[in-house]
Each structure stands twice: as C-alpha cells, then as structure tokens.
Amino acid sequence: MNHAAVRAVSMRTLNRQRANIVLSAYLDDEKVLTPKEVSARERIFEWDGILRWKDSTPIARAEIGHSFHDLIRGLAPPHSITGSRRDTEAKLAKLIRLYNGEDFLVQYSLAPGVALIILKEGAGSMAQLKAWALALWVAHRHHRTGRDYATGASSAEAILDLHRTTLEDLSHRWADCIERLAAAGWDLNADSLETGSGSRIRLETKTEK
C-alpha cells in the first residue's frame, strides 16, 4: 500500500478539526486555505467535537447525527420534580420553521456550550458541512458577545435570533464558500464529519382539509 498516497487523499477531506480551521478562516475574512496550509496548522491531538475559531481556545462542542429525542432534551431542561419540559412544543415549532429549507437542525445550548446537529433524511456531506459551519459561527458569535444571550427572560428568543441571522449570513455566502473550497483542492463529497452511524429524522407537514 502506498501510505503517502493514502495520507494525501485523507488530508483533502474535511474532518472536524480541519473544518474548524478552514471554515473559520473563510467566515472571518473570506480567506481560503489549501490542504497543505491546513496541514501545517493541525494539532496532532484534538478533542473530538471541539469547536475552535481559528487558533483560539475551545469555544464550544458540536455533536452531529443526534436523534429527535436528543433534540427535545436539548430544547429545555426537565422540571426538577415533575420532569416536564416547559414550552418545548413552541420552541420546537420555531426551530423547525427556521430550518425548513435545510437538511438539518442545529440546537445550541448556552449553559453547556454544546451544539446538537440533527440531520434530516437524505442529508449528505454538503448538508453536514453547512450544519457544522453554522454551529461553529453561532458558537463564535455567542462566545464573542455571550452576555447578550445568556441572561434575561428573553434569552431563548435571543439565541433563536442569533441562529436566524447567522443562518441568513451563512446561506448568503455558502455557494461562494463551496466553490472556492473545491477550487483549493478540498474533497467536499466525503462524509468525514459524522464519525459514527448517526440518526436521521423525517419531518412531515400536515395539510388541513
């Protein structure tokens, strides 16, 4: 086996660490790094799922391929006595509407700093990469101005607004990002972000008769 060739191929794929490096560079100042440039910046050992903005300290964690039940648990903590979750249905409806045009949902929990990425049925490598980019950018924006979202009765609405504006900004730039990353030599068709056998959800819209 030609180990040098295998390494060359693997280095062109965007695993979680490389995705952090490449996406934060592009989203920050539209700089596109090549596989060779990223290789020089990679850490030999990196915590799985860590979100870093460029060479910063860890700002959050992302978990991809979670189930619908994980999403429900992440939307609202259970009551300490009854175990019920307050306003879960309303929060879920807003989140589903927000990501209606995407093949994924992202739920960012403030306190633990964890972004849950839930993939819809049919979500491929491009959807996974966009979801990771969104989780990274939301975490960065929250980390930079955390006080605006972490306190007050309207914190849930504030973080939803952060998701909305970040998704709009990302969608506006996504086609250019994908085109330039491919031109720089990145293999965008490899499923390198979902490291295990993750779940998929199917959302169906009911029509009133």
Side-chain angles (χ1 to χ4, degrees), residues 9-140:
V9 171
S10 67
M11 293 303 292
R12 292 178 55 245
T13 61
L14 287 170
N15 63 12
R16 297 178 178 190
Q17 181 181 179
R18 290 177 213 133
N20 287 339
I21 298 170
V22 170
L23 293 170
S24 60
Y26 176 82
L27 294 172
D28 194 43
D29 55 16
E30 297 192 356
K31 183 177 181 179
V32 176
L33 300 175
T34 65
K36 184 177 180 180
E37 290 172 321
V38 171
S39 178
R41 301 187 183 195
E42 278 190 271
R43 298 168 185 263
I44 297 176
F45 299 106
E46 177 64 295
W47 296 315
D48 186 43
I50 284 296
L51 294 174
R52 292 183 191 270
W53 189 259
K54 292 189 170 181
D55 295 321
S56 70
T57 57
I59 55 175
R61 193 174 81 252
E63 300 174 358
I64 190 168
H66 273 263
S67 68
F68 185 76
H69 294 293
D70 294 327
L71 173 62
I72 296 298
R73 286 194 293 267
L75 283 172
H79 189 277
S80 59
I81 298 177
T82 66
S84 63
R85 300 174 187 273
R86 183 180 179 184
D87 300 329
T88 301
E89 187 173 338
K91 291 178 181 178
L92 179 61
K94 291 178 180 179
L95 199 67
I96 290 174
R97 283 196 298 269
L98 176 60
Y99 291 102
N100 182 54
E102 305 293 343
D103 287 331
F104 59 84
L105 303 169
V106 176
Q107 168 59 30
Y108 183 65
S109 300
L110 293 172
V114 176
L116 295 182
I117 298 174
I118 291 84
L119 300 172
K120 298 180 184 178
E121 191 174 61
S125 57
M126 291 296 185
Q128 293 176 35
L129 185 60
K130 187 176 182 180
W132 193 272
L134 181 67
L136 176 63
W137 210 2
V138 166
H140 169 66

Side-chain angles (χ1 to χ4, degrees), residues 137-180:
W137 210 2
V138 166
H140 169 66
R141 287 179 166 181
H142 171 249
H143 181 74
R144 187 178 59 187
T145 56
R147 291 184 179 180
D148 293 338
Y149 305 104
T151 60
S154 61
S155 61
E157 286 298 325
I159 196 65
L160 188 65
D161 286 340
L162 176 61
H163 276 247
R164 183 178 296 106
T165 56
T166 304
L167 179 59
E168 290 173 355
D169 292 343
L170 180 62
S171 296
H172 180 71
R173 300 168 62 178
W174 192 241
D176 176 71
C177 177
I178 292 301
E179 181 180 352
R180 293 177 62 189

